Amino acid sequence: MRTAIAFVILLSACNQAGTGNKNDSTATENTTPQGAVASCYNKITGRDTIKLSLVVDEDKVNGTLEYNIYEKDKNTGVIAGTLQDNILRATYEFQSEGVKSTRNVVFKIMGDQAYEAQADSLTSDGLPVFNGDAALLKFEPSPFKKIPCE
């Protein structure tokens, strides 16, 4: 929960950074971890939209993920994980149909694109399982495209 709050503060600070006094450098210094980088990605396929917003601070990643699949319930939540060799492994805590759920997600971040991994299998509860070896991960062929963060 703390990571989600930190992410919201960081995004808020980024959104306000261009509107404050140019001489006031403390506006974002108090809320943005030094060296953290915010990146946002979007994937539109037909009427489906997926948005991924990340804040990377060294190898730690926090952010939001939103699935808006046409004629399905919207999933919106936060992710927290680690980034190693361009592979983001995170836990996604989200709300769908008023129910709070958690599942693992994996993305490959490559420049201005992000690719979502396909699960190797599902647990008996229907949760995705991803290969621990990054070289054996399979990714969706259609990438997310980097967009300006809102």
Side-chain angles (χ1 to χ4, degrees), residues 82-120:
T82 58
L83 183 66
Q84 184 176 15
D85 298 325
N86 296 332
I87 302 295
L88 168 61
R89 293 180 184 269
T91 301
Y92 175 43
E93 294 181 13
F94 61 98
Q95 288 273 0
S96 180
E97 294 184 20
V99 176
K100 190 171 188 175
S101 301
T102 302
R103 69 177 174 91
N104 292 326
V105 293
V106 177
F107 290 90
K108 180 192 272 185
I109 311 297
M110 296 184 60
D112 288 348
Q113 297 179 330
Y115 295 84
E116 188 169 13
Q118 299 171 340
D120 292 317

Side-chain angles (χ1 to χ4, degrees), residues 1-149:
M1 184 65 166
R2 244 178 38 191
T3 57
I5 292 169
F7 178 71
V8 170
I9 290 170
L10 178 62
L11 278 183
S12 179
C14 289
N15 287 339
Q16 294 173 0
T19 60
N21 184 345
K22 289 183 182 182
N23 294 328
D24 184 9
S25 63
T26 61
T28 58
E29 286 178 356
N30 293 333
T31 57
T32 305
Q34 189 174 16
V37 177
S39 300
C40 298
Y41 301 88
N42 197 16
K43 180 177 176 179
I44 300 172
T45 306
R47 295 182 177 184
D48 301 339
T49 303
I50 307 170
K51 294 179 183 178
L52 174 66
S53 300
L54 305 174
V55 175
V56 180
D57 186 8
E58 295 182 16
D59 66 338
K60 303 287 184 237
V61 179
N62 293 295
T64 60
L65 181 57
E66 178 181 311
Y67 292 90
N68 193 0
I69 308 301
Y70 181 68
E71 294 187 347
K72 299 274 184 174
D73 290 313
K74 183 177 179 180
N75 293 342
T76 302
V78 296
I79 62 171
T82 58
L83 183 66
Q84 184 176 15
D85 298 325
N86 296 332
I87 302 295
L88 168 61
R89 293 180 184 269
T91 301
Y92 175 43
E93 294 181 13
F94 61 98
Q95 288 273 0
S96 180
E97 294 184 20
V99 176
K100 190 171 188 175
S101 301
T102 302
R103 69 177 174 91
N104 292 326
V105 293
V106 177
F107 290 90
K108 180 192 272 185
I109 311 297
M110 296 184 60
D112 288 348
Q113 297 179 330
Y115 295 84
E116 188 169 13
Q118 299 171 340
D120 292 317
S121 62
L122 298 175
T123 66
S124 60
D125 296 330
L127 297 174
V129 176
F130 298 96
N131 198 306
D133 184 349
L136 298 177
L137 289 169
K138 298 174 214 132
F139 294 92
E140 294 287 335
S142 176
F144 289 62
K145 308 274 183 177
K146 194 169 195 174
I147 60 171
C149 294

